[in-house]
Amino acid sequence: MHDIKAIRDNPAAFDAGWSSRGLSPQTPAILALDEQLRAAQTALQAAQSRRNEASKLIGQAKARKDEAGAAALMAEVETLKGEMTAQAEVEARIGGELRDLLTSLPNIPDPQTPAGADEAGNVEVRRHGDPLRLNNARDHVDLGAALGMDFEAAAKMSGSRFVVLKGQMARLERALGQFMLDVQTTENGYTEISPPLLVKDDAMFGTGQLPKFAEDLFRTTDERWLIPTAEVSLTNIVREAITAEEELPLRMTALTPSFRSEAGASGRDTRGMIRQHQFYKVELVSITTPEESDAEHERMVACAEGILKKLGLSFRTMLLCTGDMGFSARKTFDLEVWLPSQNTYREISSCSNCGDFQARRMDARSKKAGEKGTRFVHTLNGSGLAVGRTLVAVMENYQDENGRIAIPEVLQPYMGGLTHIGGEA
């Protein structure tokens, strides 16, 4: 959501921001609607004021026994009521059009976000570890066939883009999620939350999934939505609330299933677990002040990177360009983990600073002790990490020629001391 006053004050800055995201100038239409809306509001207020004045004069005219004057004033009041109704309808219509336009437009990029049309414009910030090069690297689908990764059983009951994990594969997925959650809560200061997986329209609107991305979501028969990420539930905890600034930053994390229709990804990554309709993810959300949001963003990225470092996985950190960034984000870092079977890096985490964009949609504010005014908070979110993709990365990077998967040392306590699964010793 955007501040109409800020758009009035500096329309060129907003058009430049939207232009960098591939949009044509939007402020002419916005300001035209804004002018019409304010004109309707002024006319309505003038009619209300004159009606109130005329209503008082009716009583005075009757007191003077000026029946003709009273009758004329009553006729004027009736005319004014009709005008008020008409102006109220115009106000509602124009206000709705302006709101629809403003809510359809993405966030304005941070000045540090590089310009670019697509992922080719992303900028590599740093790398960690040496990529594992294998002459005959097997992908996770081939490796998983003998380890309890069953796509056929899942397809029979649910269709494509689902998987059934059995035995030690299910345990390894659970171990990864628990390990991530434990690190984020005990080492990085995030508070664990167990949030709802079903939310209402307003919650999806608040974080920017609605109305623009409805086709990417799953909706229930009672008009609720399955969350595409725990970002929705966690961020909406501060919805329509005023949080004391002394309590900020709020750092929250959750391990939940995520549900996505992948309507915009038809034909992409149809093999395996890279892009599924249902997957587990550890989400990180921070609520902070405008002054601290940049530092909090860097901290969040480091918290996500720390998981990959502890797992001994090679990765790179990318600063996304304007054309590859999410709708609600003003600045985003992606973490891409190395997959030997593809001989490339693939996204495993996305950490975004949304500024006050989501807060305005949710009316989430903060207040300093002793001060009267409030202001919008800044919201940040990131994956710490996507569990399924991390499972894929562990399988591929810890495979041997016999199909065994070595268990990273940090996961062994969660696996009952196991050092390997599958294959032959």
Side-chain angles (χ1 to χ4, degrees):
M1 194 69 173
H2 300 283
D3 181 2
I4 186 62
K5 183 179 183 302
I7 295 174
R8 287 187 210 123
D9 292 343
N10 195 354
F14 280 83
D15 274 335
W18 286 319
S19 175
S20 73
R21 303 193 73 158
L23 298 177
S24 60
Q26 300 293 315
T27 59
I30 292 171
L31 295 177
L33 287 171
D34 180 50
E35 186 175 350
Q36 294 174 47
L37 178 61
R38 287 193 286 169
Q41 291 170 336
T42 299
L44 178 57
Q45 291 167 2
Q48 288 173 330
S49 178
R50 177 54 190 166
R51 181 202 60 182
N52 294 340
E53 181 184 5
S55 296
K56 292 179 182 177
L57 293 175
I58 290 172
Q60 295 174 13
K62 287 187 175 182
R64 297 193 307 269
K65 300 190 182 305
D66 181 4
E67 297 301 330
L73 288 166
M74 285 189 286
E76 182 182 4
V77 167
E78 288 303 311
T79 299
L80 288 166
K81 286 181 179 178
E83 183 178 341
M84 287 166 55
T85 298
Q87 291 298 338
E89 290 174 353
V90 171
E91 180 185 24
R93 177 175 58 80
I94 299 299
E97 291 179 13
L98 179 58
R99 178 179 171 82
D100 288 346
L101 177 53
L102 289 175
T103 57
S104 72
L105 295 170
N107 204 349
I108 299 298
D110 184 277
Q112 295 182 3
T113 296
D118 53 35
E119 62 183 15
N122 297 342
V123 176
E124 184 174 320
V125 177
R126 54 185 169 267
R127 290 193 183 196
H128 176 83
D130 296 322
L132 178 66
R133 309 282 183 176
L134 297 174
N135 291 329
N136 298 301
R138 298 167 65 185
D139 73 7
H140 69 283
V141 179
D142 288 339
L143 290 166
L147 299 174
M149 183 178 285
D150 192 337
F151 292 98
E152 291 185 9
K156 289 177 183 177
M157 68 179 86
S158 302
S160 62
R161 297 188 190 270
F162 291 91
V163 66
V164 171
L165 298 180
K166 305 172 185 176
Q168 297 301 343
M169 286 301 299
R171 187 174 187 178
L172 182 55
E173 181 189 49
R174 175 162 54 92
L176 281 165
Q178 292 301 316
F179 162 69
M180 294 174 189
L181 200 60
D182 285 349
V183 171
Q184 303 302 355
T185 55
T186 63
E187 297 183 21
N188 296 333
Y190 287 86
T191 299
E192 183 177 354
I193 305 291
S194 178
L197 304 182
L198 289 168
V199 297
K200 298 186 293 185
D201 286 8
D202 287 347
M204 286 291 197
F205 175 84
T207 46
Q209 279 77 22
L210 290 180
K212 191 175 179 64
F213 303 104
E215 67 172 8
D216 294 324
L217 307 170
F218 287 111
R219 195 173 193 180
T220 64
T221 55
D222 65 351
E223 300 186 346
R224 290 183 175 86
W225 302 85
L226 286 165
I227 60 169
T229 163
E231 168 202 345
V232 177
S233 304
L234 297 181
T235 310
N236 272 277
I237 286 174
V238 296
R239 175 186 187 80
E240 297 174 3
I242 298 174
T243 305
E245 286 200 8
E246 293 72 21
E247 297 177 7
L248 301 178
L250 298 179
R251 297 182 178 124
M252 299 173 281
T253 186
L255 170 60
T256 69
S258 298
F259 305 91
R260 300 182 184 180
S261 73
E262 297 292 354
S266 178
R268 295 180 59 194
D269 296 313
T270 55
R271 177 177 168 85
M273 290 183 64
I274 296 295
R275 195 177 299 276
Q276 295 207 296
H277 291 310
Q278 175 188 315
F279 58 95
Y280 283 97
K281 182 157 67 82
V282 172
E283 186 71 3
L284 308 175
V285 164
S286 292
I287 312 296
T288 188
T289 62
E291 294 81 8
E292 297 298 324
S293 68
D294 286 341
E296 185 67 18
H297 193 195
E298 296 287 347
R299 183 186 189 277
M300 178 179 284
V301 173
C303 290
E305 289 176 336
I307 299 294
L308 291 170
K309 290 177 180 178
K310 288 175 183 291
L311 289 170
L313 296 171
S314 175
F315 67 92
R316 66 180 183 178
T317 302
M318 306 291 291
L319 177 60
L320 299 196
C321 70
T322 53
D324 197 34
M325 196 165 54
F327 179 81
S328 296
R330 63 194 301 262
K331 184 179 180 182
T332 298
F333 291 98
D334 270 9
L335 306 186
E336 297 179 348
V337 70
W338 179 258
L339 295 185
S341 71
Q342 298 183 20
N343 205 39
T344 192
Y345 292 94
R346 295 300 304 269
E347 178 199 340
I348 198 168
S349 172
S350 189
C351 298
S352 297
N353 186 345
C354 299
D356 65 3
F357 184 81
Q358 292 178 327
R360 288 181 178 277
R361 296 168 78 100
M362 297 186 302
D363 193 20
R365 299 171 181 263
S366 66
K367 182 179 181 298
K368 280 187 177 180
E371 294 187 4
K372 291 183 179 180
T374 64
R375 57 179 179 164
F376 291 107
V377 297
H378 278 200
T379 64
L380 302 93
N381 64 81
S383 305
L385 305 163
V387 178
R389 292 192 181 191
T390 310
L391 176 64
V392 168
V394 167
M395 292 174 66
E396 294 200 7
N397 282 277
Y398 282 89
Q399 64 178 297
D400 67 18
E401 64 276 9
N402 296 316
R404 286 200 312 168
I405 308 298
I407 306 299
E409 186 176 348
V410 292
L411 295 181
Q412 291 175 16
Y414 297 86
M415 295 290 293
L418 284 178
T419 60
H420 295 78
I421 60 173
E424 296 179 2

